[in-house]
Amino acid sequence: AADLAMFQVKENGRNNVFRYSSQLDERVSRKKVLGRQLLSAAENGELEMHYQPILSASTGEVVKVEALLRWTSPTFGPVSPAEFIPLAEAGGSMLGIGTWVIERVCTDLRWFRENGVELTAAVNISGLQLMHPGLPGELARALKVNGLQPGCLELEITETVLMSGESVFGALEELRSLGFRISLDDFGTGFSSLSYLRHFTVDLIKIDRSFVSGIRPGATDDTLVRTVIELGHNLGLRVISEGVELKEQFELLCHLGTDELQGYYISRPLPAAKLEEFIFNRQYDLFLSK
Ligand code: C2E
Ligand code: MG
Ligand code: MG
Ligand code: MG
């Protein structure tokens, strides 16, 4: 985008220099403001957890959800986690926000349980959290307070996190030994995903949305997705397909043997009360007819 701006500046002459540089200023100041606001977002009640159902391909039931963080900035309104998580990581608020997420998810899991819904939650864990020695204790405390076991949580980490070095592998092994399942998120988008699978054990891989969206209506097969599912199964892992938006994708992924499915086709991420309604009314029964 910066290159394009330079190009247009050169093409169109002087006036545009001011326009583009002021846009750049705006972007920089937005980042600064967001970064500062994130430091008090949790204590100001600006954070909320949404939950996206994950469907088991074999039973057709929703027994798992992914916890996805939502933030409403006091000046900019709703901001996507894709934008604010990196700012939180850079600005020193990620650990605090991560703690808030873990506590919120465990409280919500207990609430679901009290309402007769047994759920596992997949929680996204930032590299900074993983490197923080306090993480296992924090997880254990939040579970204990709410009468939950480590098996209730799946920790999602990305390949980028694995690239940060050896110490990460130790942290992951410790978490696995404590009973947490580990899921490799956005599988296939990082560098040499396969080599990481040799270095340490995960329980699940999540095929990234970009591969799933490559499956077009009318296609009868997709070699890449088929191969990833087979690879996962050969390594004894469960395979989740994320970003399932279309009926055709859903059907093909089931046919190719994916274990679990997640995406707008099944449901968007929902606030806790709406999720309970979704599960209680078995609104996903629709998908059993596959
Ligand atoms: P992710 O972990 O890969 O989460 C999946 C993202 O895909 C979510 O975006 C979800 O809303 C979106 N999604 C799910 N199904 C579909 C679909 O069918 N179509 C499309 N187009 N999108 C779909 P979201 O909620 O905006 O989160 C973006 C990323 O932010 C997440 O990607 C995750 O990396 C990060 N994130 C979200 N919550 C947290 C959190 O609590 N902690 C940390 N560290 N990162 C988080
Ligand atoms: Mg995730
Ligand atoms: Mg993902
Ligand atoms: Mg993704």
Short mmCIF file of all heavy atoms in Angstrom, two decimals, residues 166-218:
data_model
loop_
_atom_site.label_atom_id
_atom_site.label_comp_id
_atom_site.label_asym_id
_atom_site.label_seq_id
_atom_site.Cartn_x
_atom_site.Cartn_y
_atom_site.Cartn_z
N GLU A 166 12.94 -22.23 20.06
CA GLU A 166 12.93 -23.47 20.84
C GLU A 166 12.08 -23.40 22.11
O GLU A 166 11.39 -24.35 22.46
CB GLU A 166 14.36 -23.82 21.26
CG GLU A 166 15.26 -24.21 20.11
CD GLU A 166 15.09 -25.67 19.71
OE1 GLU A 166 15.19 -26.51 20.62
OE2 GLU A 166 14.86 -25.94 18.53
N SER A 167 12.16 -22.25 22.80
CA SER A 167 11.51 -22.12 24.11
C SER A 167 10.00 -22.35 24.01
O SER A 167 9.37 -22.80 24.96
CB SER A 167 11.79 -20.75 24.70
OG SER A 167 11.49 -19.77 23.74
N VAL A 168 9.45 -22.05 22.84
CA VAL A 168 8.02 -22.24 22.61
C VAL A 168 7.65 -23.72 22.72
O VAL A 168 6.62 -24.08 23.26
CB VAL A 168 7.63 -21.70 21.23
CG1 VAL A 168 6.19 -22.01 20.91
CG2 VAL A 168 7.87 -20.21 21.18
N PHE A 169 8.53 -24.58 22.19
CA PHE A 169 8.24 -26.01 22.21
C PHE A 169 8.12 -26.51 23.64
O PHE A 169 7.24 -27.31 23.96
CB PHE A 169 9.32 -26.80 21.45
CG PHE A 169 9.41 -26.42 20.00
CD1 PHE A 169 10.63 -26.09 19.43
CD2 PHE A 169 8.27 -26.39 19.20
CE1 PHE A 169 10.71 -25.73 18.09
CE2 PHE A 169 8.35 -26.03 17.85
CZ PHE A 169 9.58 -25.71 17.30
N GLY A 170 8.99 -26.03 24.52
CA GLY A 170 8.95 -26.40 25.93
C GLY A 170 7.64 -25.99 26.57
O GLY A 170 7.01 -26.78 27.29
N ALA A 171 7.24 -24.75 26.30
CA ALA A 171 5.99 -24.23 26.87
C ALA A 171 4.81 -25.08 26.41
O ALA A 171 3.92 -25.42 27.20
CB ALA A 171 5.80 -22.77 26.47
N LEU A 172 4.81 -25.45 25.13
CA LEU A 172 3.70 -26.25 24.60
C LEU A 172 3.67 -27.65 25.21
O LEU A 172 2.61 -28.16 25.54
CB LEU A 172 3.82 -26.35 23.08
CG LEU A 172 3.42 -25.07 22.33
CD1 LEU A 172 3.75 -25.18 20.86
CD2 LEU A 172 1.93 -24.79 22.53
N GLU A 173 4.85 -28.24 25.38
CA GLU A 173 4.91 -29.56 25.99
C GLU A 173 4.37 -29.53 27.42
O GLU A 173 3.64 -30.42 27.84
CB GLU A 173 6.35 -30.12 25.98
CG GLU A 173 6.82 -30.63 24.63
CD GLU A 173 5.86 -31.61 23.96
OE1 GLU A 173 5.19 -32.39 24.67
OE2 GLU A 173 5.75 -31.60 22.71
N GLU A 174 4.73 -28.46 28.14
CA GLU A 174 4.25 -28.33 29.51
C GLU A 174 2.71 -28.25 29.53
O GLU A 174 2.06 -28.95 30.31
CB GLU A 174 4.85 -27.09 30.19
CG GLU A 174 4.42 -26.98 31.64
CD GLU A 174 4.87 -25.69 32.33
OE1 GLU A 174 5.60 -24.89 31.71
OE2 GLU A 174 4.46 -25.50 33.50
N LEU A 175 2.16 -27.44 28.65
CA LEU A 175 0.70 -27.28 28.61
C LEU A 175 0.01 -28.59 28.24
O LEU A 175 -1.01 -28.95 28.80
CB LEU A 175 0.32 -26.16 27.63
CG LEU A 175 0.70 -24.75 28.09
CD1 LEU A 175 0.60 -23.75 26.94
CD2 LEU A 175 -0.19 -24.32 29.27
N ARG A 176 0.61 -29.32 27.30
CA ARG A 176 0.03 -30.62 26.92
C ARG A 176 0.07 -31.59 28.08
O ARG A 176 -0.87 -32.34 28.31
CB ARG A 176 0.78 -31.21 25.72
CG ARG A 176 0.33 -30.61 24.40
CD ARG A 176 0.81 -31.46 23.24
NE ARG A 176 -0.15 -32.47 22.86
CZ ARG A 176 0.12 -33.76 22.74
NH1 ARG A 176 1.32 -34.21 23.00
NH2 ARG A 176 -0.82 -34.60 22.36
N SER A 177 1.18 -31.57 28.82
CA SER A 177 1.31 -32.50 29.94
C SER A 177 0.30 -32.16 31.04
O SER A 177 -0.06 -33.01 31.84
CB SER A 177 2.74 -32.50 30.48
OG SER A 177 2.97 -31.32 31.20
N LEU A 178 -0.16 -30.91 31.07
CA LEU A 178 -1.16 -30.52 32.06
C LEU A 178 -2.57 -30.89 31.61
O LEU A 178 -3.54 -30.71 32.35
CB LEU A 178 -1.08 -29.01 32.33
CG LEU A 178 0.18 -28.53 33.04
CD1 LEU A 178 0.25 -27.01 33.06
CD2 LEU A 178 0.23 -29.09 34.47
N GLY A 179 -2.70 -31.37 30.37
CA GLY A 179 -4.01 -31.84 29.90
C GLY A 179 -4.71 -30.93 28.92
O GLY A 179 -5.84 -31.18 28.52
N PHE A 180 -4.05 -29.83 28.52
CA PHE A 180 -4.65 -28.95 27.52
C PHE A 180 -4.37 -29.51 26.13
O PHE A 180 -3.27 -30.00 25.87
CB PHE A 180 -4.05 -27.54 27.61
CG PHE A 180 -4.33 -26.86 28.91
CD1 PHE A 180 -3.36 -26.81 29.91
CD2 PHE A 180 -5.57 -26.29 29.16
CE1 PHE A 180 -3.61 -26.20 31.13
CE2 PHE A 180 -5.83 -25.67 30.38
CZ PHE A 180 -4.85 -25.63 31.36
N ARG A 181 -5.37 -29.44 25.27
CA ARG A 181 -5.12 -29.82 23.89
C ARG A 181 -4.59 -28.62 23.11
O ARG A 181 -4.96 -27.48 23.38
CB ARG A 181 -6.39 -30.35 23.24
CG ARG A 181 -6.49 -31.87 23.37
CD ARG A 181 -7.85 -32.36 22.98
NE ARG A 181 -8.83 -31.77 23.89
CZ ARG A 181 -10.14 -31.76 23.66
NH1 ARG A 181 -10.63 -32.26 22.57
NH2 ARG A 181 -10.96 -31.21 24.55
N ILE A 182 -3.71 -28.89 22.16
CA ILE A 182 -3.10 -27.82 21.38
C ILE A 182 -3.53 -27.96 19.92
O ILE A 182 -3.51 -29.06 19.35
CB ILE A 182 -1.55 -27.88 21.43
CG1 ILE A 182 -1.03 -27.95 22.87
CG2 ILE A 182 -0.95 -26.71 20.66
CD1 ILE A 182 -1.19 -26.70 23.68
N SER A 183 -3.92 -26.82 19.37
CA SER A 183 -4.41 -26.81 18.01
C SER A 183 -3.56 -25.84 17.18
O SER A 183 -3.26 -24.75 17.62
CB SER A 183 -5.88 -26.38 18.06
OG SER A 183 -6.36 -26.07 16.80
N LEU A 184 -3.14 -26.31 16.01
CA LEU A 184 -2.31 -25.47 15.14
C LEU A 184 -3.24 -24.72 14.18
O LEU A 184 -3.84 -25.30 13.28
CB LEU A 184 -1.31 -26.36 14.39
CG LEU A 184 -0.13 -25.69 13.72
CD1 LEU A 184 0.57 -24.69 14.64
CD2 LEU A 184 0.88 -26.75 13.27
N ASP A 185 -3.35 -23.40 14.44
CA ASP A 185 -4.32 -22.54 13.74
C ASP A 185 -3.74 -22.06 12.40
O ASP A 185 -2.53 -22.02 12.23
CB ASP A 185 -4.60 -21.33 14.63
CG ASP A 185 -5.94 -20.66 14.34
OD1 ASP A 185 -6.61 -21.06 13.37
OD2 ASP A 185 -6.30 -19.75 15.11
N ASP A 186 -4.62 -21.71 11.49
CA ASP A 186 -4.24 -21.14 10.19
C ASP A 186 -3.24 -22.04 9.47
O ASP A 186 -2.31 -21.56 8.82
CB ASP A 186 -3.64 -19.73 10.36
CG ASP A 186 -4.59 -18.78 11.08
OD1 ASP A 186 -5.80 -19.06 11.09
OD2 ASP A 186 -4.11 -17.77 11.62
N PHE A 187 -3.43 -23.36 9.60
CA PHE A 187 -2.47 -24.31 9.06
C PHE A 187 -2.30 -24.12 7.55
O PHE A 187 -3.27 -24.01 6.80
CB PHE A 187 -2.91 -25.75 9.33
CG PHE A 187 -1.88 -26.77 8.93
CD1 PHE A 187 -0.80 -27.03 9.75
CD2 PHE A 187 -2.00 -27.45 7.73
CE1 PHE A 187 0.17 -27.96 9.39
CE2 PHE A 187 -1.04 -28.39 7.35
CZ PHE A 187 0.04 -28.63 8.19
N GLY A 188 -1.04 -24.06 7.14
CA GLY A 188 -0.73 -23.94 5.72
C GLY A 188 -0.37 -22.53 5.29
O GLY A 188 0.10 -22.32 4.18
N THR A 189 -0.57 -21.53 6.17
CA THR A 189 -0.29 -20.15 5.76
C THR A 189 1.12 -19.71 6.16
O THR A 189 1.62 -18.73 5.64
CB THR A 189 -1.30 -19.16 6.38
OG1 THR A 189 -1.25 -19.30 7.81
CG2 THR A 189 -2.71 -19.46 5.91
N GLY A 190 1.75 -20.42 7.11
CA GLY A 190 3.08 -20.01 7.55
C GLY A 190 4.15 -20.67 6.71
O GLY A 190 3.87 -21.28 5.68
N PHE A 191 5.39 -20.57 7.16
CA PHE A 191 6.48 -21.22 6.45
C PHE A 191 6.65 -22.65 6.93
O PHE A 191 6.55 -22.92 8.12
CB PHE A 191 7.79 -20.45 6.66
CG PHE A 191 7.77 -19.12 5.98
CD1 PHE A 191 7.56 -17.95 6.70
CD2 PHE A 191 7.93 -19.02 4.60
CE1 PHE A 191 7.54 -16.73 6.07
CE2 PHE A 191 7.91 -17.80 3.96
CZ PHE A 191 7.70 -16.64 4.70
N SER A 192 6.92 -23.53 6.03
CA SER A 192 7.25 -24.93 6.31
C SER A 192 6.49 -25.53 7.50
O SER A 192 7.07 -25.96 8.47
CB SER A 192 8.75 -25.11 6.54
OG SER A 192 9.21 -24.21 7.53
N SER A 193 5.18 -25.48 7.37
CA SER A 193 4.31 -26.00 8.42
C SER A 193 4.68 -27.43 8.78
O SER A 193 4.62 -27.83 9.93
CB SER A 193 2.87 -26.04 7.93
OG SER A 193 2.60 -24.91 7.17
N LEU A 194 5.05 -28.18 7.77
CA LEU A 194 5.28 -29.60 7.98
C LEU A 194 6.43 -29.86 8.93
O LEU A 194 6.38 -30.74 9.77
CB LEU A 194 5.55 -30.29 6.64
CG LEU A 194 4.35 -30.31 5.70
CD1 LEU A 194 4.72 -30.96 4.38
CD2 LEU A 194 3.18 -31.01 6.34
N SER A 195 7.49 -29.06 8.81
CA SER A 195 8.67 -29.32 9.64
C SER A 195 8.36 -29.10 11.12
O SER A 195 8.94 -29.74 11.97
CB SER A 195 9.83 -28.44 9.20
OG SER A 195 9.57 -27.11 9.52
N TYR A 196 7.41 -28.21 11.41
CA TYR A 196 7.06 -28.00 12.82
C TYR A 196 6.41 -29.23 13.43
O TYR A 196 6.55 -29.51 14.61
CB TYR A 196 6.12 -26.80 12.98
CG TYR A 196 6.81 -25.52 12.65
CD1 TYR A 196 6.38 -24.72 11.60
CD2 TYR A 196 7.93 -25.13 13.38
CE1 TYR A 196 7.04 -23.56 11.29
CE2 TYR A 196 8.59 -23.96 13.07
CZ TYR A 196 8.16 -23.19 12.02
OH TYR A 196 8.81 -22.04 11.72
N LEU A 197 5.67 -29.94 12.60
CA LEU A 197 4.97 -31.11 13.12
C LEU A 197 5.95 -32.20 13.54
O LEU A 197 5.60 -33.11 14.27
CB LEU A 197 3.99 -31.64 12.07
CG LEU A 197 2.79 -30.72 11.80
CD1 LEU A 197 1.93 -31.28 10.68
CD2 LEU A 197 1.97 -30.52 13.06
N ARG A 198 7.20 -32.12 13.06
CA ARG A 198 8.20 -33.09 13.48
C ARG A 198 8.75 -32.74 14.85
O ARG A 198 9.22 -33.58 15.59
CB ARG A 198 9.37 -33.10 12.49
CG ARG A 198 9.11 -33.96 11.26
CD ARG A 198 10.38 -34.05 10.46
NE ARG A 198 10.99 -32.71 10.36
CZ ARG A 198 12.27 -32.48 10.13
NH1 ARG A 198 13.10 -33.47 9.99
NH2 ARG A 198 12.72 -31.25 10.03
N HIS A 199 8.76 -31.43 15.18
CA HIS A 199 9.41 -30.96 16.40
C HIS A 199 8.58 -31.12 17.65
O HIS A 199 9.09 -31.21 18.74
CB HIS A 199 9.82 -29.50 16.27
CG HIS A 199 11.02 -29.31 15.42
ND1 HIS A 199 10.95 -29.01 14.08
CD2 HIS A 199 12.34 -29.41 15.72
CE1 HIS A 199 12.17 -28.93 13.59
NE2 HIS A 199 13.03 -29.17 14.56
N PHE A 200 7.30 -31.08 17.51
CA PHE A 200 6.49 -31.24 18.72
C PHE A 200 5.10 -31.72 18.33
O PHE A 200 4.73 -31.72 17.17
CB PHE A 200 6.43 -29.93 19.50
CG PHE A 200 5.46 -28.96 18.92
CD1 PHE A 200 4.28 -28.66 19.58
CD2 PHE A 200 5.70 -28.36 17.70
CE1 PHE A 200 3.38 -27.78 19.04
CE2 PHE A 200 4.80 -27.48 17.15
CZ PHE A 200 3.64 -27.19 17.82
N THR A 201 4.38 -32.14 19.33
CA THR A 201 3.10 -32.78 19.09
C THR A 201 1.96 -31.80 19.27
O THR A 201 1.91 -31.06 20.25
CB THR A 201 2.92 -33.92 20.11
OG1 THR A 201 4.19 -34.48 20.37
CG2 THR A 201 1.97 -34.96 19.59
N VAL A 202 1.06 -31.79 18.32
CA VAL A 202 -0.19 -31.05 18.50
C VAL A 202 -1.32 -32.08 18.46
O VAL A 202 -1.09 -33.25 18.17
CB VAL A 202 -0.42 -29.98 17.41
CG1 VAL A 202 0.62 -28.90 17.48
CG2 VAL A 202 -0.48 -30.59 16.03
N ASP A 203 -2.51 -31.65 18.80
CA ASP A 203 -3.66 -32.56 18.81
C ASP A 203 -4.55 -32.35 17.60
O ASP A 203 -5.21 -33.27 17.13
CB ASP A 203 -4.46 -32.35 20.10
CG ASP A 203 -3.58 -32.57 21.32
OD1 ASP A 203 -3.38 -33.73 21.68
OD2 ASP A 203 -3.06 -31.58 21.88
N LEU A 204 -4.56 -31.11 17.13
CA LEU A 204 -5.44 -30.78 16.01
C LEU A 204 -4.75 -29.82 15.06
O LEU A 204 -3.89 -29.03 15.48
CB LEU A 204 -6.73 -30.08 16.49
CG LEU A 204 -7.57 -30.74 17.57
CD1 LEU A 204 -7.26 -30.14 18.92
CD2 LEU A 204 -9.04 -30.54 17.23
N ILE A 205 -5.16 -29.86 13.79
CA ILE A 205 -4.77 -28.78 12.89
C ILE A 205 -6.03 -28.15 12.30
O ILE A 205 -7.03 -28.83 12.06
CB ILE A 205 -3.81 -29.24 11.76
CG1 ILE A 205 -4.36 -30.45 11.01
CG2 ILE A 205 -2.44 -29.54 12.31
CD1 ILE A 205 -3.44 -30.92 9.89
N LYS A 206 -5.96 -26.83 12.12
CA LYS A 206 -7.08 -26.11 11.53
C LYS A 206 -6.67 -25.64 10.14
O LYS A 206 -5.78 -24.79 10.00
CB LYS A 206 -7.45 -24.89 12.38
CG LYS A 206 -8.03 -25.24 13.73
CD LYS A 206 -8.58 -24.00 14.44
CE LYS A 206 -10.01 -23.73 14.03
NZ LYS A 206 -10.65 -22.74 14.95
N ILE A 207 -7.32 -26.20 9.14
CA ILE A 207 -7.01 -25.80 7.77
C ILE A 207 -7.50 -24.38 7.57
O ILE A 207 -8.66 -24.06 7.84
CB ILE A 207 -7.72 -26.71 6.74
CG1 ILE A 207 -7.34 -28.17 6.97
CG2 ILE A 207 -7.40 -26.27 5.32
CD1 ILE A 207 -7.99 -29.12 5.98
N ASP A 208 -6.61 -23.50 7.12
CA ASP A 208 -6.94 -22.09 7.00
C ASP A 208 -8.06 -21.85 6.00
O ASP A 208 -8.20 -22.55 5.00
CB ASP A 208 -5.71 -21.28 6.61
CG ASP A 208 -5.98 -19.79 6.76
OD1 ASP A 208 -6.23 -19.36 7.90
OD2 ASP A 208 -5.97 -19.08 5.73
N ARG A 209 -8.82 -20.81 6.31
CA ARG A 209 -9.93 -20.37 5.48
C ARG A 209 -9.55 -20.18 4.01
O ARG A 209 -10.32 -20.45 3.11
CB ARG A 209 -10.44 -19.04 6.06
CG ARG A 209 -11.59 -18.41 5.40
CD ARG A 209 -12.29 -17.49 6.39
NE ARG A 209 -11.35 -16.59 7.05
CZ ARG A 209 -11.24 -15.29 6.74
NH1 ARG A 209 -11.98 -14.77 5.80
NH2 ARG A 209 -10.40 -14.51 7.38
N SER A 210 -8.32 -19.71 3.77
CA SER A 210 -7.92 -19.43 2.39
C SER A 210 -7.93 -20.70 1.53
O SER A 210 -8.19 -20.63 0.33
CB SER A 210 -6.54 -18.77 2.36
OG SER A 210 -5.61 -19.57 3.05
N PHE A 211 -7.68 -21.86 2.14
CA PHE A 211 -7.73 -23.12 1.38
C PHE A 211 -9.18 -23.56 1.18
O PHE A 211 -9.54 -24.03 0.11
CB PHE A 211 -6.94 -24.22 2.08
CG PHE A 211 -5.48 -23.90 2.20
CD1 PHE A 211 -4.94 -23.55 3.42
CD2 PHE A 211 -4.66 -23.91 1.08
CE1 PHE A 211 -3.60 -23.22 3.53
CE2 PHE A 211 -3.33 -23.60 1.18
CZ PHE A 211 -2.79 -23.24 2.41
N VAL A 212 -9.95 -23.37 2.25
CA VAL A 212 -11.35 -23.78 2.18
C VAL A 212 -12.09 -22.95 1.13
O VAL A 212 -12.88 -23.47 0.35
CB VAL A 212 -12.03 -23.65 3.56
CG1 VAL A 212 -13.53 -23.83 3.46
CG2 VAL A 212 -11.43 -24.67 4.53
N SER A 213 -11.79 -21.65 1.08
CA SER A 213 -12.52 -20.80 0.12
C SER A 213 -12.09 -21.08 -1.31
O SER A 213 -12.74 -20.65 -2.26
CB SER A 213 -12.35 -19.32 0.47
OG SER A 213 -10.99 -18.98 0.39
N GLY A 214 -10.98 -21.82 -1.45
CA GLY A 214 -10.55 -22.23 -2.79
C GLY A 214 -11.44 -23.32 -3.38
O GLY A 214 -11.42 -23.55 -4.60
N ILE A 215 -12.22 -23.96 -2.50
CA ILE A 215 -13.14 -24.98 -2.99
C ILE A 215 -14.36 -24.27 -3.55
O ILE A 215 -15.13 -23.67 -2.83
CB ILE A 215 -13.59 -25.92 -1.84
CG1 ILE A 215 -12.38 -26.56 -1.16
CG2 ILE A 215 -14.52 -27.00 -2.37
CD1 ILE A 215 -12.78 -27.40 0.03
N ARG A 216 -14.51 -24.34 -4.84
CA ARG A 216 -15.58 -23.59 -5.50
C ARG A 216 -16.80 -24.47 -5.75
O ARG A 216 -16.66 -25.68 -5.94
CB ARG A 216 -15.07 -23.04 -6.84
CG ARG A 216 -14.03 -21.97 -6.68
CD ARG A 216 -14.67 -20.63 -6.32
NE ARG A 216 -13.66 -19.71 -5.81
CZ ARG A 216 -13.81 -18.98 -4.71
NH1 ARG A 216 -14.92 -19.08 -4.01
NH2 ARG A 216 -12.87 -18.16 -4.31
N PRO A 217 -17.97 -23.86 -5.77
CA PRO A 217 -19.17 -24.61 -6.11
C PRO A 217 -18.98 -25.32 -7.44
O PRO A 217 -18.43 -24.73 -8.37
CB PRO A 217 -20.25 -23.54 -6.25
CG PRO A 217 -19.75 -22.34 -5.54
CD PRO A 217 -18.26 -22.43 -5.50
N GLY A 218 -19.38 -26.56 -7.51
CA GLY A 218 -19.25 -27.30 -8.77
C GLY A 218 -17.97 -28.11 -8.82
O GLY A 218 -17.87 -29.04 -9.60
#
